[in-house]
Amino acid sequence: MISTGMRPELRRIDWVPAAVFLATIIGCHNPPGSPPMPEGTRFVPRAAWGAHAPVLPMTKHVPNRLTIHHTATIQNPARTVEAKMAGLQAFSQRDDSLAGGKKKPAWADIPYHYYVAVDGAVAEGREWRYVGDTNTEYNPAGHLLVVVEGNFEADTLTSAQRSTIDALIPALARHFHIAASALGGHRDFANTQCPGRTLYAEIPRLRALITQGR
């Protein structure tokens, strides 16, 4: 769980060149070697949101768990996913303070592998081949990290987010041969409310979808 506050100084211009936008829709759903995105999902790869290179070394891993987080920020349909990812990367790659005042060190990159935006788009965060990061005391090695935009202690999934995760989670589980029992939430591994009570309540249903999709 990360609360960035989406400070104004992190914001970039909320537009995307037409060629880049079209690349996220037509024939460029995922970079080579990445898991296939479900049909109809708008996928925004790192190049399309202007990702910078990692700033520190990262450790390779093979995902064997699927772990859901939330951003712990208010859902913001007015801001593009490209701008959200650029802001999240800027926050991630520097020393900063969390919402509660706790200090965080600079990370190599965005801590999550996939970001599900309020409009249902899926953005690529850290490359899935590398271990993610966390503010809490658990080892995310082997965890494929999916973060969903919102504070799900209060928010509920938008219909677009629900449609996306209902397709994305089983697709990722199939690709990486992750069992339904290996799907969990951040709170299963650390002392945290993440991914929030309403999103955490979806996990049994998502496990059933993984089982059905085998």
Side-chain angles (χ1 to χ4, degrees):
M1 175 179 65
I2 295 175
S3 180
T4 69
M6 291 300 179
R7 300 171 187 164
E9 66 267 26
L10 298 186
R11 298 185 180 183
R12 297 185 180 183
I13 298 172
D14 287 1
W15 61 272
V16 183
V20 173
F21 176 78
L22 289 173
T24 68
I25 302 174
I26 302 172
C28 187
H29 287 296
N30 46 291
S34 291
M37 285 292 113
E39 195 67 33
T41 300
R42 183 188 167 217
F43 182 62
V44 184
R46 289 174 63 86
W49 59 262
H52 295 295
V55 296
L56 295 167
M58 297 188 294
T59 302
K60 287 191 173 183
H61 73 155
V62 176
N64 54 30
R65 301 199 66 93
L66 239 171
T67 304
I68 296 177
H69 292 242
H70 70 169
T71 62
T73 56
I74 296 171
Q75 294 168 331
N76 185 358
R79 195 171 187 222
T80 67
V81 68
E82 290 84 2
K84 291 169 185 173
M85 295 301 287
L88 179 55
Q89 188 183 51
F91 169 82
S92 299
Q93 291 183 327
R94 67 177 184 230
D95 295 344
D96 212 316
S97 297
L98 305 175
K102 179 182 176 182
K103 299 296 184 181
K104 66 162 282 295
W107 293 320
D109 205 339
I110 287 173
Y112 314 111
H113 301 107
Y114 296 100
Y115 182 109
V116 179
V118 66
D119 63 356
V122 176
E124 181 187 23
R126 184 176 302 213
E127 288 190 41
W128 64 263
R129 295 176 180 83
Y130 298 100
V131 178
D133 271 298
T134 177
N135 294 310
T136 57
E137 299 301 322
Y138 90 103
N139 180 1
H143 293 246
L144 188 70
L145 305 181
V146 176
V147 67
V148 184
E149 180 185 343
N151 181 348
F152 293 99
E153 283 295 296
D155 291 331
T156 56
L157 292 169
T158 65
S159 58
Q161 284 177 320
R162 183 181 298 276
S163 295
T164 291
I165 68 170
D166 283 2
L168 177 66
I169 297 300
L172 293 174
R174 282 194 302 273
H175 183 84
F176 290 104
H177 307 289
I178 295 172
S181 60
L183 171 67
H186 184 183
R187 66 169 62 179
D188 292 323
F189 307 99
N191 182 20
T192 177
Q193 293 180 321
C194 182
R197 60 182 183 83
T198 64
L199 182 52
Y200 189 74
E202 300 283 345
I203 288 177
R205 188 179 63 81
L206 293 170
R207 286 176 178 155
L209 291 176
I210 292 172
T211 300
Q212 292 167 17
R214 293 297 184 198

